[in-house]
Amino acid sequence: MESFPTIISVDDHTVEPPDVWRDRLPAKFRDAGPRIVRAPIKEMTFLGGRFAPVMGAPGDAGPVADWWVYEDLHRPLTRLDTAVGYSRDDIGLEGITYEEMRPGSFSVPERLADMDANHVQSALCFPTFPRFCGQTFTEAADRELALLCVRAYNDWMTEEWCGPAARGRLIPLAIVPLWDAALAAQEVRRNAARGVRAVCFSEIPPYLGLPSVHTDAWDPFLRACDETGTVVAMHIGSSSRMPSTSEDAPPAVSSALTFANCCFSMADWLMSGAFTRFPDLRLMYAEGQIGWIPYILERADTVWENNRKWGGIGDKVLEPPSELFAQHIHGCFFDDAFGLRNLDAIGVGNVLYETDYPHSDSTWPRSREVAEEQMGHLTPDVVERIVRGNAIELLGLTPDGLWAGAPARG
């Protein structure tokens, strides 16, 4: 295409700088909050969809990494957190330090430069240390500190990562205290008041020991999202359990099945009745791709038509699931030629584009080329909607594709 629209990526990632929490927590909590410790890696595996690192003691032999330490959690930064710029054949499960990662992973000026190199105008970024829906803090023992950590992250995300230096090109994405739906609602409203239009949530909350979307437990949170126009963003892995088949299945199995939890999650939401209670609620599935969506909608409609009475949804799911999907749900992709060939069965208005920077799956720095190769059969107006127009509408961006809530430059 002679003129390809600049991309708005709805799924990139930030690697939090070491001082995010130490600079923002009250003095009495700074030594207990998340902090970076440089230490050796004693052992690290990723089998059966579960990541299991073991931190060595100072002076132990082994490769050195920067570790986030918080309560009993020891989590190293890894090459999988920030893989762009490396040959995919050289990307392994290994620990790294900040000096060994691409600066655009954690520095705003370098991130904007890498976005320029990738034909990306704006980007919505998911967390790394808090994990994809903030479940790190949900699992913490000290809930007072955990709530402060959630708020500190959102302050950093909004005021610094997406602050004046970003010039509206970085779009804020909040986390919430998932252990308390009322507190979560308060945090949604606090951030919505400063222009934040997206919040992380778990694709399958019961995997985290939380209530399912079939209860009314989440209603305060969902009501806050509904009333403020806040999009509920669910990333693959936001249930802390990547799909797998056995305890010894290699990571490639989970990687091939990344869409599966999105599939389960969407069936949950479509059959939950939540869209009847909250008619303005919007969901998006990050990094789940889109090729699987048409069959799930077809099957869900069949179940709704034939089995809704005995299936337990007759009094709460009042429209065909495919119609609910069209009104409420967006699928996100970065490399899905099959999905694009079946776009009519998904809906042009229900598809968003992403680049997954700086992860190993990322199409950086070839996101434009990949998009052009896979969208060559689409008309320019459809391409425009997929790579930026739908994101502008969903996330409340300016017509130019920038975050309108960015603080004014002095």
Side-chain angles (χ1 to χ4, degrees):
M1 299 181 187
E2 289 186 8
S3 178
F4 193 83
T6 51
I7 296 164
I8 297 177
S9 174
V10 297
D11 170 32
D12 285 358
H13 299 265
T14 178
V15 177
E16 298 80 20
D19 59 1
V20 167
W21 288 277
R22 293 189 74 99
D23 283 358
R24 290 167 181 79
L25 290 174
K28 70 175 183 176
F29 287 115
R30 283 176 191 156
D31 291 336
R35 57 206 178 276
I36 287 290
V37 173
R38 188 159 292 183
I41 293 175
K42 185 176 181 180
E43 181 183 350
M44 186 159 58
T45 60
F46 188 8
L47 294 172
R50 295 186 181 276
F51 178 49
V54 179
M55 184 177 179
D60 284 355
V64 171
D66 281 337
W67 294 72
W68 280 108
V69 175
Y70 172 55
E71 294 192 341
D72 294 333
L73 176 64
H74 300 84
R75 198 279 196 194
L77 296 173
T78 75
R79 178 56 61 206
L80 300 183
D81 293 324
T82 172
V84 293
Y86 287 79
S87 165
R88 294 196 176 184
D89 290 337
D90 294 333
I91 298 169
L93 184 62
E94 59 182 348
I96 61 170
T97 65
Y98 278 92
E99 290 82 2
E100 295 170 320
M101 71 175 68
R102 191 170 185 87
S105 303
F106 60 88
S107 168
V108 170
E110 283 83 359
R111 172 59 66 91
L112 297 184
D114 279 354
M115 290 163 61
D116 289 340
N118 199 32
H119 200 65
V120 172
Q121 179 193 25
S122 306
L124 181 81
C125 297
F126 283 81
T128 296
F129 171 70
R131 311 216 298 282
F132 295 148
C133 68
Q135 60 263 56
T136 292
F137 301 121
T138 298
E139 296 166 357
D142 186 335
R143 288 290 170 79
E144 179 186 6
L145 173 56
L147 181 58
L148 290 170
C149 286
V150 166
R151 291 174 175 167
Y153 176 85
N154 290 334
D155 290 345
W156 169 80
M157 166 62 63
T158 305
E159 298 166 6
E160 187 167 334
W161 182 252
C162 301
R167 305 193 302 276
R169 296 182 60 188
L170 295 173
I171 306 162
L173 174 63
I175 59 175
V176 293
L178 292 169
W179 62 89
D180 187 314
L183 287 177
Q186 291 176 17
E187 191 63 10
V188 167
R189 295 183 190 280
R190 183 176 83 94
N191 288 289
R194 50 183 174 178
V196 179
R197 289 283 301 274
V199 62
C200 300
F201 192 67
S202 174
E203 57 199 353
I204 307 178
Y207 284 0
L208 302 178
L210 299 170
S212 81
V213 297
H214 299 289
T215 73
D216 61 3
W218 294 107
D219 280 11
F221 165 72
L222 298 179
R223 184 173 298 108
C225 293
D226 178 86
E227 292 175 355
T228 61
T230 299
V231 180
V232 178
M234 294 172 285
H235 195 283
I236 61 166
S238 56
S239 61
S240 295
R241 188 186 303 181
M242 292 296 289
S244 190
T245 55
S246 65
E247 291 297 322
D248 58 351
V253 172
S254 292
S255 187
L257 295 172
T258 52
F259 72 93
N261 281 350
C262 299
C263 176
F264 298 159
S265 175
M266 195 169 83
D268 251 355
W269 281 96
L270 290 174
M271 304 302 184
S272 70
F275 300 129
T276 300
R277 301 196 306 278
F278 304 108
D280 293 322
L281 186 64
R282 298 293 183 270
L283 313 181
M284 57 170 270
Y285 285 100
E287 206 173 325
Q289 311 303 336
I290 59 174
W292 53 274
I293 292 175
Y295 174 71
I296 293 301
L297 295 180
E298 178 183 285
R299 177 60 185 165
D301 277 358
T302 298
V303 170
W304 181 82
E305 184 67 37
N306 298 332
N307 303 332
R308 61 181 180 267
K309 183 175 182 180
W310 70 259
I313 60 170
D315 60 346
K316 60 182 182 180
V317 181
L318 307 182
E319 301 173 65
S322 61
E323 294 183 14
L324 294 175
F325 172 86
Q327 298 165 27
H328 297 277
I329 301 177
H330 287 74
C332 311
F333 78 101
F334 56 83
D335 188 2
D336 191 342
F338 181 83
L340 287 169
R341 289 197 301 270
N342 293 275
L343 191 59
D344 288 346
I346 302 168
V348 172
N350 297 87
V351 173
L352 304 169
Y353 200 55
E354 57 186 53
T355 77
D356 196 30
Y357 178 105
H359 286 179
S360 61
D361 265 348
S362 177
T363 51
W364 186 93
R366 296 189 63 255
S367 296
R368 173 180 178 169
E369 289 81 358
V370 171
E372 287 180 320
E373 291 166 6
Q374 296 188 350
M375 299 184 195
H377 64 293
L378 302 176
T379 61
D381 63 311
V382 170
V383 173
E384 172 81 19
R385 289 191 68 184
I386 291 172
V387 302
R388 57 183 292 112
N390 290 336
I392 288 173
E393 181 179 354
L394 184 67
L395 297 172
L397 306 180
T398 69
D400 293 332
L402 301 175
W403 177 47
R409 295 186 72 112

